[in-house]
Amino acid sequence: MSIAAPFLVLLVLGGVAAYHRLRLASWVALSAAGLVACLLLGANATATVVGGVLLALVAVPLLVPALRQNFVTRPLLGFYTKILPPLTETERVALEAGTVGFEGELFSGKPDWNLLLSQPKPTLSADEQAFLDGPVEELCRMVNDWEITHVHADLQPELWEYIKRNRFFGMIVPKEYGGLGFSALGNHKVIEKLASISSVVSSTVGVPNSLGPAELLMHYGTQEQKDYYLPRLADGREVPCFGLTGPWAGSDATSIPDYGIVTMGDWGGARVVGVKLTFDKRYITLAPVATLIGLAFRMYDPDGLLGEKQDIGITIALLPRETPGVDIGRRAMPLNSTFQNGPIKGREVFIPLSQLIGGEAYAGKGWQMLVECLSIGRSITLPSTASGGARMGARVTGAYARIRKQFGLSIGRFEGVEEALARIGGNAYTITALAEASAAAVARGELPAVPSTISKYHCTELGRQLIQDAMDVHGGKGIILGPRNYLGRAWQASPISITVEGANIMTRSLMIFGQGAILCHPWVLKEMKAAGNPDRVQGLRDFDNALFGHIGFAISNAVRALWFGITGAMIGTAPGDSYTKRYYRKLNRYSAVLAVLADTSMLLLGGKLKFKESLSGRLGDVLSQLYISSAMLKRYEDQGRPVADQPLLAWSFHNAMHKLELSLSAALRNFPVRPVGWLLWVLVFPLGRRATAPSDRLGHKVAAILMSPNEARDRLGHGAFLTPGENHPAGRIDSYLATVVAAEPIERKFQKAIKGHEIEALDYVAQLDLALARGWITADERHQLDELRRITIDAISVDDFEPWELRSAGFGHGPDAEGSRVAV
């Protein structure tokens, strides 16, 4: 045998052990057995002995804990402690506030898919389904979005009354306090359905059930606060808002300049200890109509009335609207989306300590409270709104593209329009899967810090692209506002969801990977905690376990990434059916790649990584696409692996992998340490980049799904408000699709007959009369063509107005003038 044989055996067996993540002792035993086999098979004895010596030099120090900890771990711990960036209290709270779900497996390099696929299928309770079929359906029927956004610039009084009476504001409030006690999934489905008819209505309902007084009171409120406020919030006697953002602190919520000074003051006829607040908040949804204000501020105790600590920290209080000094400003107008929004100010507003949420015991714990609850709210309202819009957008655009004809063809038959329809269908499939996955995580009791940011960012970004494509397909129909327009306001409002609850630019570049790299990584947080352990002995033991676990983890992921890259991820065990196994294998590959890049970036850049926002954003994209793809596969499994949905799944998955590889490519080409970037490229893409955007053939199949009645289309639209009605033109157009498809053969026969004969009739009705008289069509077919004409006119018609009708709700009126519109 060759002199190189023992070394090749060590290399191969080491790779096998790393790929399968064998324990260190198992690797040593396997390698030793391999060397013995080499010797018995006639390998060069000297080379075999050298190989054995090298193995011993590595194995002995690592297998003997005393040697390893004293001569390897201890020096590394000292070095690690020096380079570890200090973790601020804000960062520590943010990291400890969330839980880790399946996204942690995606950072592992070897996901355990059973953990994902064994999660229960998201299912509504009987009460939740009944609410969707009853009060939610009726509320949707009542909505006239044009009246809301143009005529009244507000919900009509009857809508406000209906929402309050049916406890829409109390969906998350437990039943014992008079609420509906819905799960996060139930909350998601309600917001989704409302958003499919009006984003103003969905926002109005969504905000009280998101981050705000009710959510905070349920988790942290005193029993007295819960008993008083929760029933009033549930039945609408109190309309809540929450003041966090201000002119000087937006995404950087920890820098809020609003403050409260602990002092004595008068409240309820008594002299009590309280807080005198000065604040300036803006962009506060529901503020103009709110009766109960949740307020975040920084609390100070300069006179030591509560103790020695003067800077107590961020605190949250409840302010009744009528509290002296509270100034509710004028309404803001966010891009013609007329949900109630505006500023709140106050100067030296006194409240007692009993108005702090949780009382004095929770003074200074506001940041922790916000972080924990924000992950819940961010998982529901905005993703659900995008999901509702996506479901409706896909359904109605597909129907419109079949109804609307140019050059004698449905516009959806043109390849350029097909491309847009494919994006609409694929993005709708992606958004709806992701939104449901994040809601289901909350429903299982998780606090999904990382998935909530992924869901918020990608659902809103894809929603913006979807509405843009829908507008392009509709053309003039989409740009003429009026009662018949069901896209214009959604297109105008799409940047709002991009901006709120953490601007998307900041969410992508700072939060997704920034939190995920530490919170989801199986070893990093353990190393950080061990390094900071004041018990030096226990800290050394913990760091030793974490460090060598991390080293083995890194080696394994490098081997797995290279192997999958060479084989194209075509080999390896994977769940799923014959159609989806290849998808799981691809995710296994890129999970390993993500882990390698994350470890390399943290090792080489250390604390500087948080300032490399472009790199962080691109690695966050990789994590996001892995999570999104997992959510789509889980939905496919939950729905019984429907064959009809495979084009939607395939388009969405290939699109995700294409985006993932583009992000990887950009990250490697711009890696701060250039030689390392070149080496990583060879490891990650040994045969070059292979993922491509979805093919035209696949896009054609997706477009066909949207333009024809079928089960996949029905599933994609399930959850949207599709009931046709006078105030719901999108529902009417969607309902026409089957009639249009049935009439198309007759229409073609009629057009062929007209073109094949010389006729004098120019008017469409006269041509129909002539065709019937000459026997080219039957009476029943004439009726079908009349109906086709009627619904086509309804589908393509737009609105026009008298000049006075276009004046805004308050145009030319003072606050007391007759005809002025006043918010309820």
Side-chain angles (χ1 to χ4, degrees), residues 626-694:
L626 289 172
Y627 186 81
I628 290 168
S629 300
S630 304
M632 293 189 295
L633 288 168
K634 177 64 165 65
R635 197 257 292 277
Y636 176 75
E637 296 288 342
D638 285 343
Q639 293 182 339
R641 300 176 177 176
V643 174
D645 286 14
Q646 287 178 355
L648 290 167
L649 174 63
W651 193 99
S652 304
F653 187 87
H654 289 307
N655 187 52
M657 293 301 98
H658 179 57
K659 289 180 177 179
L660 184 151
E661 282 206 0
L662 288 176
S663 295
L664 282 175
S665 174
L668 295 175
R669 291 180 186 278
N670 295 278
F671 198 79
V673 184
R674 297 301 301 128
V676 174
W678 302 331
L679 292 174
L680 286 172
W681 183 277
V682 175
L683 179 69
V684 174
F685 297 123
L687 301 180
R689 280 180 43 216
R690 306 294 294 274
T692 59

Side-chain angles (χ1 to χ4, degrees), residues 152-154 288 329-334 337-343 822-823:
H152 297 278
D154 190 12
R330 300 192 301 172
R331 283 184 62 181
M333 186 63 156
S337 184
T338 54
F339 60 89
Q340 295 282 339
N341 186 280
V822 181

Side-chain angles (χ1 to χ4, degrees), residues 212-442:
E215 183 78 39
L216 293 165
L217 283 167
M218 286 162 50
H219 287 86
Y220 311 107
T222 66
Q223 192 60 50
E224 183 179 3
Q225 290 172 340
K226 293 178 182 179
D227 291 340
Y228 180 76
Y229 284 115
L230 289 179
R232 299 172 65 85
L233 289 166
D235 62 20
R237 282 176 288 169
E238 301 282 7
V239 176
C241 71
F242 189 77
L244 178 60
T245 301
W248 307 107
S251 298
D252 184 15
T254 58
S255 298
I256 53 176
D258 313 283
Y259 60 89
I261 306 299
V262 178
T263 186
M264 300 294 295
D266 296 322
W267 185 270
R271 192 76 172 166
V272 297
V273 178
V275 184
K276 192 171 286 187
L277 300 166
T278 296
F279 53 91
D280 183 4
K281 305 290 188 181
R282 64 177 180 178
Y283 309 147
I284 310 304
T285 300
L286 293 184
V289 295
T291 62
L292 184 65
I293 303 162
L295 187 79
F297 64 96
R298 194 164 196 92
M299 186 169 167
Y300 297 93
D301 183 16
D303 297 329
L305 296 179
L306 303 180
E308 296 181 359
K309 190 175 183 180
Q310 293 190 353
D311 184 355
I312 295 176
I314 295 176
T315 305
I316 303 176
L318 291 174
L319 278 69
R321 183 187 184 99
E322 64 274 10
T323 305
V326 172
D327 178 17
I328 305 291
R330 300 192 301 172
R331 283 184 62 181
M333 186 63 156
L335 291 175
N336 280 342
S337 184
T338 54
F339 60 89
Q340 295 282 339
N341 186 280
I344 302 173
K345 297 180 181 181
R347 184 168 182 81
E348 297 190 344
V349 177
F350 180 80
I351 58 170
L353 295 181
S354 60
Q355 290 300 120
L356 304 183
I357 293 183
E360 184 180 344
Y362 276 87
K365 297 182 179 180
W367 177 237
Q368 176 184 346
M369 297 158 67
L370 290 172
V371 170
E372 290 178 350
C373 290
L374 188 59
S375 66
I376 297 174
R378 193 185 279 128
S379 298
I380 306 296
T381 307
L382 293 174
S384 303
T385 298
S387 181
R391 290 188 189 278
M392 179 58 75
R395 289 279 298 233
V396 71
T397 306
Y400 182 85
R402 187 69 177 259
I403 296 169
R404 180 63 164 154
K405 293 181 173 63
Q406 296 284 280
F407 306 102
L409 285 175
S410 295
I411 61 172
R413 303 297 187 193
F414 294 94
E415 290 188 355
V417 177
E418 267 193 353
E419 288 182 18
L421 287 173
R423 287 195 298 270
I424 290 171
N427 286 337
Y429 191 85
T430 303
I431 293 168
T432 53
L434 180 55
E436 184 167 286
S438 60
V442 177

